[in-house]
Amino acid sequence: MWLQVPFFCGHYAECWIPGSEWALAQAKRNLAEHFLLVGVTEELQDFIALLEAALPRYFRGATNLFVEGKKSHLRKTFNKTYPSPDTVAKIQASRIWQMENEFYEFVLQQFHFIRKRTLTVRDGVISDKGQQFMYEKIRPREEVGKVIMFAYQDRGGPEAGEKEQKTRWFRYREKSLRTNLPQQEKMEQQSVTEISR
């Protein structure tokens, strides 16, 4: 019975110890982080529809083929023999079965979440919801040229009178992106420093 957990757990020795809590946690982590999609056999048609929606280049037409293909009748079992209730109760009492079942429920929960986000059912037909996210190109803002004019008074030395004071104007052209705010602040601070001199 210790089958699903070690398969998803990996190649660690701990994965093959039946009933290992670490192996169960690792299997869940691996499923969430490393697998695009994991389905369950009782919802195989939905699984194939999800594959077709997620990877259309490889699975285009797979759902149609699954439903209407020449061998679709082979997936129906007519004579099922169920185990006795005592056997089922003994199996379900096992700690290993409970851990395997916990992993199965985790897989089922993930599968249903992805199916709800991806597929829709219209008139009994399963179809892709289509694009659900908008991706915008982020373009840099256009370059801004800014002329900063600042002035300071040249007093001409201590012996110069009031008439000899000159005001000099300087021009500075700043080329930067609007998003480059620290550079703009630095340039403005320099201009204020120059004015105060």
Side-chain angles (χ1 to χ4, degrees):
M1 272 196 301
W2 190 246
L3 297 171
Q4 297 175 115
V5 172
F7 178 81
F8 284 94
C9 178
H11 296 288
Y12 303 102
E14 180 82 16
C15 295
W16 295 94
I17 299 172
S20 169
E21 290 285 343
W22 181 86
L24 176 62
Q26 184 67 28
K28 287 179 180 180
R29 189 176 310 108
N30 285 344
L31 181 122
E33 293 176 1
H34 301 294
F35 288 85
L36 173 69
L37 181 64
V38 176
V40 291
T41 53
E42 56 267 21
E43 298 181 32
L44 194 56
Q45 184 177 347
D46 290 352
F47 175 69
I48 293 170
L50 279 169
L51 283 174
E52 188 174 357
L55 304 166
R57 187 176 191 182
Y58 298 104
F59 293 98
R60 183 169 285 123
T63 309
N64 224 12
L65 185 64
F66 180 79
V67 174
E68 300 170 3
K70 293 178 182 177
K71 297 187 177 184
S72 62
H73 66 282
L74 296 176
R75 287 185 290 277
K76 296 175 183 154
T77 306
F78 294 105
N79 298 322
K80 292 183 182 178
T81 305
Y82 293 99
S84 68
D86 292 339
T87 306
V88 171
K90 281 185 182 179
I91 291 172
Q92 289 178 348
S94 164
R95 176 71 185 134
I96 294 171
W97 181 87
Q98 290 170 1
M99 292 177 81
E100 285 276 319
N101 190 55
E102 182 181 337
F103 182 72
Y104 169 78
E105 293 295 331
F106 179 78
V107 170
L108 198 60
Q109 180 184 8
Q110 290 291 108
F111 179 72
H112 287 162
F113 172 75
I114 293 169
R115 184 182 66 186
K116 183 179 177 184
R117 296 282 312 225
T118 310
L119 300 178
T120 184
V121 179
R122 293 185 193 127
D123 301 325
V125 177
I126 299 170
S127 61
D128 183 11
K129 281 186 178 178
Q131 184 176 352
Q132 299 175 41
F133 304 99
M134 289 296 290
Y135 298 100
E136 294 182 17
K137 279 189 173 180
I138 300 173
R139 295 186 184 120
R141 294 184 180 156
E142 61 190 50
E143 209 171 296
V144 176
K146 180 172 145 184
V147 175
I148 300 173
M149 295 192 71
F150 54 93
Y152 75 93
Q153 289 189 341
D154 183 6
R155 298 201 183 262
E159 66 278 346
E162 287 289 323
K163 291 182 183 177
E164 292 184 27
Q165 287 184 355
K166 298 174 190 168
T167 302
R168 293 187 184 172
W169 290 90
F170 289 87
R171 293 174 61 124
Y172 176 78
R173 181 163 178 84
E174 176 189 341
K175 278 190 167 184
S176 67
L177 297 177
R178 286 188 182 156
T179 55
N180 196 356
L181 291 178
Q183 186 180 358
Q184 279 183 338
E185 289 173 6
K186 183 179 176 185
M187 299 311 295
E188 287 171 7
Q189 192 170 14
Q190 282 179 350
S191 66
V192 169
T193 305
E194 292 293 329
I195 291 172
S196 63
R197 286 184 184 169

